Amino acid sequence: MATIRDVARYANVSTATVSRVMNRNGYADAETSRRVKEAIEQLDYRPNDVARSLFKGRSGMIALLVPDITNPFFPELARAVEDKTNLNGYSFVLCNTDNDVAKQLNYLNALQQKSIDGFIIVSSSLTPDNMQSLQVPAVALDRVISPSMPSVTVNNRSGARQAVDHLKAIGCRRIAHVAGLEYADNAAQRMRGYLDAVKQEDWFDSRYIVSGAYHFNQAQEAVETMLSNNPDIDGIFAGNDMMGAGVLHAAASLGKRIPDDLAVVGFDGIALSETVTPALTTMTQPIYDMGAKAADMLINQIETADSTVMTEEFNVQLAERESTLRKAATNEQ
Amino acid sequence: MATIRDVARYANVSTATVSRVMNRNGYADAETSRRVKEAIEQLDYRPNDVARSLFKGRSGMIALLVPDITNPFFPELARAVEDKTNLNGYSFVLCNTDNDVAKQLNYLNALQQKSIDGFIIVSSSLTPDNMQSLQVPAVALDRVISPSMPSVTVNNRSGARQAVDHLKAIGCRRIAHVAGLEYADNAAQRMRGYLDAVKQEDWFDSRYIVSGAYHFNQAQEAVETMLSNNPDIDGIFAGNDMMGAGVLHAAASLGKRIPDDLAVVGFDGIALSETVTPALTTMTQPIYDMGAKAADMLINQIETADSTVMTEEFNVQLAERESTLRKAATNEQ
DNA sequence: TTGTAGGCGTTATCAA
DNA sequence: TTGATAACGCCTACAA
């Protein structure tokens, strides 16, 4: 690898001049400039970014911490962040944390030793205290970590309420809920939205809420049990799409037809919701936009040292699909 | 941030001594060593990795290039690579290339400027020539790039053949194929495997092969057309699971029952294949193991400068699920 | 307009 | 057993 010194020698100038020409700052004679560019070309010189980082104290890298990229909600988020960081000349580091606090702190430290420029963090386990050790900007994504930290989220509570209202609108009389991870902020909000919509109903019963821990299998099992014990349930709001798919399987194994015996609404709008049969009605989050927005906010913070704490809440949107498309009922409305 | 000099001052020693104590190399008096550790503790000193990288010429980072992390095959691969790299003290960089040659070369260059230690590459567009500019070790994953480059793949051809044989075994008489991306090496192999199994059959007709470009929608549309024109098709081998899901939708919209009217086998074994209804029979790849193996091979190359070109081919395995579980036929076998 | 020289933080060589 | 010092490759006062 050629260094700046090689280029300088080749062009018969000093390294300072090469640097100036290369970075277009400071004066440079047209002829000198030409010689330098020629030399760069000839030697196929490319500046060493590590040396640059050392000098500048910034590495041009941005990290995204997610619980598990294998969870289908995160790839689209990651893609958005990567696209944006890349577009702005940054490199993209991905970290799977399993929501483990130690792992997260580990990454935070290790990457700061690499002069990382900023973090985007999806976490339901980090506390505001944990953020104290951060020396660089960070944005919380999908889940709030601390009120004093910028964040990008969705209206989980009112979105959940909309989902349940939709089930009511198509004629459901007994609506149950499969809840997500207990300690996750967004799961709690979605349950609250469900309660907003049903707790006044005379049929409401706390046994209509079961936990699926955001997982396909657990949701399927929990729902099979619940449906067996409460055969009059005719609508289910699942806290996310994976669990929605679990509900579809549970229904199938009990011989319930969807949507006529049982209507289902999910939450998230991941690709899976469309590929499942019947296609799953869901509250779609603008996942890509959320990731992109978080990246924008972070880059803005990095480059302008603007420290106002921005907070962005996106709206979810109902995507009506087969799992709630009742031939008769929809016309009735 | 405290530097090694701060520590040296605090402990009344030279930076050289601090470095030796910190890295446990070279002699160090017990008492001196204690003082240095004390100083490190007190000042909460953490070595600057960028400076280290500059000196060593290696950054401790490994990059994975994939076409699109949004494609459900890649997250598990990425997770495996991240786990392994991390376990070995490396950081993990993820790059989405869209299989675009320019983007890929861009990443290759940019990351080498950052003294990246090695690459794992999933690509069906890079040529052996493109690999010339590589100054660091690289491993091809899922698809071969050059015979002179280490690679981790699966037995696409014989796996595909197994899939078709399974369809025959459960009683299918007219078996069609939805093929993947034309220019992808693995798609070609899978089609070849399909042909191995059917081209001697008297019913075989080249119209039984349609392209789905590895996509859900395209597969669905192509198969709807094909099934309408050839109602006697009773089995379909899809080149991947996404397209398998598309086939299920096509069948549903034509009122064909699965598996009795139409049996379906996919390829890949991504999570989707289990969550779809009916669950999709598929040839499962050991995705996580493949990623882990590629990472192992790469790290080994990096750390031992061992340049023998290893090649690893994993075997796919049939996972029988509902989409081929014919009540009558399976017993007949 | 250009060059000299010092520094970014670490490591390794060599002398003491 | 320890310390001075010269790299690693780049950038930017400052001087010329």
Side-chain angles (χ1 to χ4, degrees), chain B residues 146-217:
Chain B
S146 155
S148 65
M149 187 174 159
S151 65
V152 175
T153 51
V154 293
N155 59 334
N156 288 295
R157 184 168 179 171
S158 61
R161 191 191 172 115
Q162 277 176 61
V164 180
D165 285 343
H166 174 63
L167 286 169
K168 284 185 180 172
I170 64 166
C172 293
R173 316 291 300 274
R174 295 272 188 289
I175 302 171
H177 176 52
V178 197
L181 279 174
E182 286 162 55
Y183 51 81
D185 161 56
N186 50 10
Q189 295 299 325
R190 291 171 199 177
M191 184 189 300
R192 214 161 282 160
Y194 163 77
L195 288 171
D196 289 344
V198 303
K199 68 166 177 286
Q200 309 291 353
E201 304 286 344
D202 50 15
W203 52 258
F204 175 66
D205 184 319
S206 65
R207 283 171 309 176
Y208 281 12
I209 300 180
V210 294
S211 169
Y214 276 155
H215 276 61
F216 174 76
N217 281 327

Side-chain angles (χ1 to χ4, degrees), chain B:
Chain B
M1 268 293 193
T3 75
I4 198 172
R5 252 185 285 274
D6 300 326
V7 175
R9 247 192 305 273
Y10 190 100
N12 255 307
V13 295
S14 73
T15 60
T17 301
V18 175
S19 176
R20 277 189 299 257
V21 170
M22 180 167 63
N23 301 311
R24 293 181 188 67
N25 79 45
Y27 304 89
D29 182 79
E31 162 59 11
T32 320
S33 177
R34 202 197 50 69
R35 280 213 322 278
V36 169
K37 283 175 184 158
E38 164 83 13
I40 289 178
E41 182 94 1
Q42 285 301 316
L43 301 176
D44 189 28
Y45 165 71
R46 286 165 232 172
N48 179 320
D49 269 335
V50 177
R52 281 185 163 170
S53 295
L54 178 58
F55 184 86
K56 305 218 173 194
R58 321 191 307 108
S59 66
M61 299 191 310
I62 284 177
L64 171 67
L65 273 59
V66 297
D68 183 1
I69 191 68
T70 271
N71 175 329
F73 180 74
F74 298 119
E76 193 173 345
L77 221 43
R79 174 77 209 225
V81 173
E82 211 249 355
D83 284 353
K84 263 284 188 277
T85 52
N86 206 39
L87 218 57
N88 288 274
Y90 292 84
S91 298
F92 173 64
V93 177
L94 177 71
C95 308
N96 291 294
T97 66
D98 295 320
N99 234 322
D100 181 289
V101 176
K103 272 196 195 176
Q104 291 175 87
L105 295 178
N106 227 342
Y107 278 122
L108 259 25
N109 283 326
L111 291 170
Q112 284 185 102
Q113 291 188 39
K114 289 194 178 308
S115 298
I116 193 108
D117 291 1
F119 292 99
I120 296 177
I121 310 177
V122 180
S123 172
S124 27
S125 54
L126 287 176
T127 65
D129 268 3
N130 290 324
M131 299 291 93
Q132 294 304 323
S133 66
L134 271 190
Q135 311 281 345
V136 296
V139 173
L141 180 52
D142 187 49
R143 311 170 194 187
V144 171
I145 296 178
S146 155
S148 65
M149 187 174 159
S151 65
V152 175
T153 51
V154 293
N155 59 334
N156 288 295
R157 184 168 179 171
S158 61
R161 191 191 172 115
Q162 277 176 61
V164 180
D165 285 343
H166 174 63
L167 286 169
K168 284 185 180 172
I170 64 166
C172 293
R173 316 291 300 274
R174 295 272 188 289
I175 302 171
H177 176 52
V178 197
L181 279 174
E182 286 162 55
Y183 51 81
D185 161 56
N186 50 10
Q189 295 299 325
R190 291 171 199 177
M191 184 189 300
R192 214 161 282 160
Y194 163 77
L195 288 171
D196 289 344
V198 303
K199 68 166 177 286
Q200 309 291 353
E201 304 286 344
D202 50 15
W203 52 258
F204 175 66
D205 184 319
S206 65
R207 283 171 309 176
Y208 281 12
I209 300 180
V210 294
S211 169
Y214 276 155
H215 276 61
F216 174 76
N217 281 327
Q218 293 179 53
Q220 177 177 359
E221 287 168 22
V223 169
E224 271 180 28
T225 309
M226 178 172 65
L227 286 180
S228 306
N229 298 337
N230 306 274
D232 46 353
I233 289 174
D234 58 357
I236 293 190
F237 165 52
N240 73 357
D241 290 339
M242 280 303 284
M243 298 196 297
V247 172
L248 297 182
H249 275 244
S253 80
L254 295 176
K256 296 218 177 221
R257 290 165 312 159
I258 292 187
D260 294 312
D261 298 339
L262 183 74
V264 187
V265 179
F267 203 107
D268 279 354
I270 60 178
L272 173 76
S273 63
E274 291 188 82
T275 50
V276 109
T277 33
L280 186 66
T281 294
T282 188
M283 304 306 302
T284 59
Q285 300 191 43
I287 305 181
Y288 191 94
D289 294 342
M290 291 167 64
K293 181 68 189 178
D296 271 341
M297 284 168 54
L298 181 63
I299 292 172
N300 183 55
Q301 261 192 89
I302 292 172
E303 297 183 349
T304 68
D306 170 6
S307 64
T308 51
V309 176
M310 302 278 266
T311 275
E312 178 96 20
E313 186 175 88
F314 282 85
N315 285 315
V316 296
Q317 198 172 13
L318 177 70
E320 263 188 273
R321 308 232 181 83
E322 296 157 7
S323 70
T324 59
L325 230 50
R326 289 183 173 167
K327 276 144 209 102
T330 37
N331 292 341
E332 272 170 23
Q333 298 306 315

Side-chain angles (χ1 to χ4, degrees), chain A residues 121-163:
Chain A
I121 311 177
V122 181
S123 171
S124 28
S125 54
L126 287 177
T127 65
D129 268 5
N130 290 325
M131 298 291 94
Q132 294 304 325
S133 66
L134 271 191
Q135 312 280 346
V136 296
V139 173
L141 180 52
D142 187 48
R143 310 168 196 188
V144 170
I145 296 177
S146 154
S148 65
M149 190 174 157
S151 66
V152 176
T153 53
V154 292
N155 59 334
N156 288 294
R157 184 167 178 173
S158 60
R161 191 192 172 116
Q162 277 177 60

